[in-house]
Amino acid sequence: MMRVGLVLEGGAMRGMYTAGVLDVFLEHGIRADCVVGVSAGALFGVNFLSGQKGRVIRYNKRFNSDKNYMGLRPLLREGNIVSTKYAYEDVPRRLDPFDDAAYKKSGIPFYAVVTNVETGMPEYIKIDSVFAQMDALRASGSMPFVSRPVIIDGKPYLDGGISDSIPFRFAESLGCEKRIVILTRDMEYRKKPMSPALIRLWFGKSPMAEKLLHRHALYHHTIEELKELEAAGKALVIRPSSPIQIGRMEKNSDILQSVYDLGVKDGLASLTAVQKYLCGEK
């Protein structure tokens, strides 16, 4: 039987869309043999393996509007736009507990994509325990310019989306011949180049700077490659049926809910196709 890989794109609060799709998967018993998540795809995707339907939308609606949780205050205080202690310790351990025991019991390998700041290259960290490896998940979602690099084993890391936004090739390297890919951008989206001046000011002429300068071109190439795989039946892609309008650090609970609801709607609409794909039907 072919192994199935679930690939989760990032995109900050666009990840509410992914959360909606994954909750549909949980409700209807859709499983995978491995999961690879990037940035918000990693941070929110772990709840799929812990079986905590509804947790992602619940805690984001509850805490995002707190100025100590996310925004200018933690950025000035910690150098991180999302508070390390509040978001990565207080919430998952105490305020809205993450079920790490259930996550580990799932037995499904989960990988978080991070970008090595020194090389500009992606690395893929297997998350055996969310609590024990919270720094790896935090690194995957640490956006450049508004986050300090996360140090893991003496090396600095940032957002995995910088170097591998949609890691379907890595899923294939794990032996997953079938891949279900959840995107957070609609079919018409085109990524724009970032400011060269800002990139050079922040990262000089480093490998990281080169990666950021060419990130839009890499993203478009990745999307074209994914479309070819989709046409050949080697990947099933779920993408927003309409453009997502949401701030990267969205605090409005109604907007968060509307993006989550779009994910639920599209997840339900794709359910038959997903089930047929997993059974080998066309």
Side-chain angles (χ1 to χ4, degrees), residues 10-134:
M13 288 304 134
R14 293 198 314 276
M16 290 299 107
Y17 177 83
T18 303
V21 176
L22 292 179
D23 280 354
V24 170
F25 282 11
L26 277 175
E27 191 171 341
H28 292 271
I30 303 297
R31 291 175 58 83
D33 296 300
C34 71
V35 184
V36 188
V38 183
S39 194
L43 291 166
F44 299 159
V46 292
N47 295 273
F48 179 62
L49 297 194
S50 66
Q52 291 176 277
K53 180 176 177 284
R55 179 175 180 268
V56 173
I57 183 64
R58 181 177 67 239
Y59 80 75
N60 278 278
K61 286 175 67 175
R62 180 181 173 189
F63 298 111
N64 280 17
S65 60
D66 189 328
K67 293 178 181 178
N68 292 306
Y69 180 82
M70 183 176 74
L72 188 60
R73 192 171 291 175
L75 182 62
L76 294 174
R77 187 180 294 160
E78 305 176 21
N80 294 308
I81 200 164
V82 178
S83 171
T84 298
K85 183 178 184 301
Y86 198 158
Y88 295 99
E89 295 179 27
D90 294 348
V91 169
R93 290 183 181 272
R94 183 170 57 85
L95 300 175
D96 194 327
F98 177 78
D99 193 341
D100 200 37
Y103 172 88
K104 289 186 280 191
K105 192 177 179 180
S106 76
I108 299 171
F110 188 103
Y111 293 83
V113 186
V114 296
T115 300
N116 185 314
V117 175
E118 294 173 346
T119 66
M121 298 301 291
E123 295 182 19
Y124 307 89
I125 300 177
K126 186 170 180 285
I127 307 297
D128 295 311
S129 163
V130 167
F131 286 157
Q133 296 173 274
M134 190 65 80

Side-chain angles (χ1 to χ4, degrees), residues 182-254:
I182 302 177
L183 302 181
T184 59
R185 293 291 194 183
D186 63 281
M187 181 75 88
E188 304 304 317
Y189 173 74
R190 296 292 179 271
K191 188 178 284 293
K192 296 177 181 178
M194 297 178 70
S195 165
L198 178 62
I199 292 170
R200 292 300 187 197
L201 177 66
W202 220 266
F203 294 103
K205 294 184 177 180
S206 66
M208 179 64 107
E210 294 305 312
K211 190 68 71 173
L212 286 166
L213 284 168
H214 298 101
R215 187 183 178 194
H216 62 292
L218 175 63
Y219 185 83
H220 295 155
H221 176 77
T222 300
I223 288 292
E224 291 306 313
E225 188 177 345
L226 182 58
K227 285 180 181 177
E228 291 178 8
L229 290 175
E230 186 179 17
K234 295 181 179 179
L236 186 145
V237 182
I238 300 172
R239 51 173 66 82
S241 54
S242 58
I244 291 177
Q245 304 293 338
I246 192 170
R248 294 187 69 80
M249 297 286 102
E250 186 62 60
K251 298 175 182 291
N252 186 307
S253 61
D254 290 337

